[in-house]
Amino acid sequence: MGPALSVLHEGSCSANKNRGTGADAPKPKLDKAMSLTISLHESDFGISPAQNPKFLGDWPKEDLLKGLQESGILKKLAARGFSDLQLDMDTSDFFVHRLTLTDGSVKHNRAPDSFLAQLFVRRRSLDLDDLIIESTRSKTFAGLVGDKLKAQEKEWMRQTAPSHTEASILEFLRLQDPRRSFEEGGSERGPLPGQLHPGLGIAREINAMVKEGARRRGRDLLVNRPDYFHNAVMYSQEYVFVSPIFQGCFDVMTSDLSADLKQKGLGALSWAVHSKALSVVTD
């Protein structure tokens, strides 16, 4: 038996046909107060950290370290001078579990961004309405789609999408080298939108590891939300938008901007989209 939720009602209201508004409105008659207790199991909130300290209820830390080794991530980081790697697993939250990868060379730094990688993942059951909401949660493209198209998409999804799915949702992912900064010439290019430090070159391996973990555990979906245009471009090799409208919008943008992408680079285009200097023209 899990925690109990107690709701205290001030009382029940008796009906009054002559209802008014404001200070002169008749006050409802209150009967004797009653107490209502609803019993909830821990599974109603998410994954119980006390009963299962594994990541997402499935992965002990030893398996995660083994995955980092087998994927080649540890070897790549060692080549960059990170030889005292430490993996911290936070399962205290019922809904979202967190992984933080740091190194002894930077862990003494008290700055909040003194880590190499942070990954927040949620395991969730999605019904059709949840899936429709997820399909429109894109900071990059949400403002580019009109209400009429959104309404058409909802109707299409209700006719074609599954009524229930089991998903792993990537709530947050950051990969960085905290020893380097753009201001000190730590990268040949400037920062991408949302980027604090130059990257580590392990995004492909991390994504493959997460994807394989979701597949092994029988998830129907691996959900990843591109906060910026460059995220969408990088993810497009492995992901498609749940929303066919957003997918079409993205395909048109990348096709029309292909020459600019080669000439100016992904960073310049991502900043242009982020600053709303680019817009989609529809007939």
Side-chain angles (χ1 to χ4, degrees), residues 5-30:
L5 175 65
S6 296
V7 182
L8 180 64
H9 291 262
E10 292 295 335
S12 58
C13 299
S14 59
N16 191 322
K17 295 181 179 179
N18 299 316
R19 292 181 177 178
T21 58
D24 297 332
K27 297 180 179 180
K29 180 181 177 182
L30 299 179

Side-chain angles (χ1 to χ4, degrees), residues 64 68 95 149 191:
L64 294 172
L68 291 172
F95 299 99
L149 284 177

Side-chain angles (χ1 to χ4, degrees), residues 125 172 200 234:
S125 298
F172 178 82
L200 293 166
M234 295 174 181

Side-chain angles (χ1 to χ4, degrees), residues 263-280:
Q263 181 181 1
K264 298 181 174 64
L266 179 59
L269 290 186
S270 188
W271 276 112
V273 175
H274 180 63
S275 60
K276 296 181 172 55
L278 285 176
S279 60
V280 176

Side-chain angles (χ1 to χ4, degrees), residues 133-152:
I133 293 173
E134 283 294 335
S135 73
T136 57
R137 292 184 65 177
S138 171
K139 294 180 181 179
T140 308
F141 300 103
L144 301 177
V145 178
D147 292 338
K148 183 178 180 180
L149 284 177
K150 289 180 181 178
Q152 291 176 347

